[in-house]
Amino acid sequence: MVGFDPGSKEAAISAKEAVFAGSAAGMVTRALISPFDVVKIRFQLQIERVSALKPEGKYAGQFQAFRCIYSEEGLAAFWKGHVPAQLLSICYGAVQFTSFEVLTKMVYKLTPYDSRSAGAHFFCGGLAACSATVVCQPLDTLRTRFAAQGEPKVYRNLRHAVSTMWCTEGPLTFFRGLSPTLMAVYPYAGLQFFFYNVFKKWLGPPDSGGGLRSLVCGSGAGVISKTITYPFDLFKKRLQVGGFEAARARFGQVRRYSGLMDCMFQIAKEEGFRGFFKGLSPSLVKAALSTGFTFFWYEFFINFIHNVKTRQTASAPAKD
């Protein structure tokens, strides 16, 4: 159901339907996985080693981090930055899935390749994600700033954050970390669609398994994709909080990076190879839930739209 299928008995998904299903899937998924995202970002921004055996920084492991954030900042802290995060998810889901449906249809009509193949899904999935990333990068930067700040808060609300960042750091600050994001998002999203396609074919015909099949395939695709591309996500987060060092001081050491290469070299020098994978464990949990739920809810809403259209067609009076 994901992507253009010329052999489908149902009508092709329209752009409006893809926008609705993609944005709705993003909204529901974001609300469910926000706590894991906050913990992941805290891990990524910590300079000190994240280790339960030899704790050096504020956060030493997943369960300790959850307890620490809850005791110091309350339950609402796990949804810090939820408004920009929801706007990000709704916008990203709408642009990504709409672009993917359009691109797979173009592959079918303009090239000799099979639009249903895993290779075509990798290519189209990567391009669709890049389109969504460029459109939504300012919201991603705002989400990261909100999730990274502790107490007392630097930004009171979304409007205050936008005006403060614009006046003190300039408009380009909303696109901090865009280069490592694009470098990571193409293979990450491409691999998500690739493995989702592969796993669904492995698990049997399209009509078997229902929603559980989509959830399992999406979760597996998310874990594999995230593991392969994770360091670029960490680079992006470190760059996005540049100029935000004062608010990060209470969490431990802070660093300034002049760009992507400087960020990579400093992390390698000070934190070693393991530094590139800080926050991987909560990130994998988040990736499994996020990707699984995204594909699950997208197909759920597409099926819902098709069922509504079918009932409307069946109940419509026959013409003479």
Side-chain angles (χ1 to χ4, degrees):
M1 190 66 73
V2 178
F4 180 73
D5 183 2
S8 176
K9 297 179 181 179
E10 298 175 333
I13 300 169
S14 69
K16 288 183 180 179
E17 291 169 349
V19 167
F20 169 77
S23 58
M27 180 181 67
V28 176
T29 301
R30 170 58 59 184
L32 295 173
I33 57 91
S34 181
F36 296 97
D37 202 31
V38 170
V39 172
K40 181 203 73 170
I41 290 174
R42 296 289 179 91
F43 279 11
Q44 288 179 324
L45 300 180
Q46 179 169 296
I47 303 299
E48 297 85 356
R49 181 182 179 186
V50 178
S51 172
L53 299 177
K54 296 181 179 180
E56 298 176 6
K58 186 177 180 68
Y59 304 120
Q62 283 195 67
F63 294 112
Q64 180 268 342
F66 274 105
R67 289 196 303 270
C68 182
I69 295 171
Y70 177 74
S71 63
E72 293 183 358
E73 305 171 49
L75 184 64
F78 294 108
W79 282 268
K80 274 188 175 180
H82 191 60
V83 173
Q86 273 291 12
L87 293 174
L88 169 67
S89 298
I90 292 170
C91 175
Y92 194 95
V95 176
Q96 182 184 35
F97 279 105
T98 304
S99 299
F100 184 75
E101 297 290 347
V102 170
L103 287 168
T104 50
K105 189 172 184 178
M106 288 176 64
V107 168
Y108 170 72
K109 290 187 173 182
L110 303 178
T111 75
Y113 299 104
D114 183 1
S115 62
R116 296 169 296 177
S117 69
H121 278 209
F122 174 84
F123 175 76
C124 296
L127 286 180
C130 286
S131 301
T133 298
V134 173
V135 172
C136 303
Q137 181 69 8
L139 294 171
D140 190 29
T141 300
L142 286 166
R143 184 277 304 260
T144 300
R145 291 288 183 99
F146 274 105
Q149 69 177 352
E151 297 292 342
K153 295 179 179 179
V154 176
Y155 305 125
R156 297 188 299 272
N157 50 47
L158 183 59
R159 179 181 294 181
H160 181 238
V162 172
S163 61
T164 301
M165 291 169 65
W166 183 282
C167 294
T168 59
E169 303 173 54
L172 290 180
T173 194
F174 294 102
F175 292 89
R176 282 180 183 267
L178 181 60
S179 55
T181 303
L182 291 176
M183 290 171 65
V185 78
Y186 185 93
Y188 176 54
L191 289 170
Q192 280 184 332
F193 283 95
F194 175 89
F195 284 111
Y196 184 72
N197 180 294
V198 170
F199 291 154
K200 290 205 79 172
K201 289 179 179 177
W202 281 355
L203 291 182
D207 294 332
S208 66
L212 179 61
R213 182 166 168 262
S214 298
L215 186 63
V216 171
C217 293
S219 297
V223 169
I224 295 173
S225 305
K226 177 57 72 175
T227 303
I228 294 172
T229 62
Y230 185 77
F232 290 100
D233 188 39
L234 184 137
F235 302 150
K236 178 187 73 172
K237 291 294 185 289
R238 293 285 181 96
L239 292 170
Q240 282 180 328
V241 293
F244 194 56
E245 289 80 7
R248 298 289 309 149
R250 67 184 296 271
F251 292 100
Q253 300 179 45
V254 293
R255 293 289 184 274
R256 287 181 179 270
Y257 306 112
S258 60
L260 175 59
M261 296 305 296
D262 180 51
C263 179
M264 293 172 63
F265 285 128
Q266 283 202 47
I267 293 173
K269 181 180 178 180
E270 297 183 5
E271 305 168 52
F273 178 75
R274 293 183 64 178
F276 294 124
F277 292 91
K278 279 184 176 177
L280 179 62
S281 53
S283 186
L284 289 181
V285 175
K286 179 213 166 186
L289 294 173
S290 176
T291 311
F293 279 130
T294 297
F295 281 111
F296 169 83
W297 287 112
Y298 180 74
E299 296 213 25
F300 172 85
F301 286 115
I302 288 296
N303 287 329
F304 172 78
I305 292 170
H306 280 309
N307 290 337
V308 169
K309 290 169 67 176
T310 300
R311 286 197 295 269
Q312 290 177 339
T313 302
S315 61
K319 294 182 179 180
D320 294 333

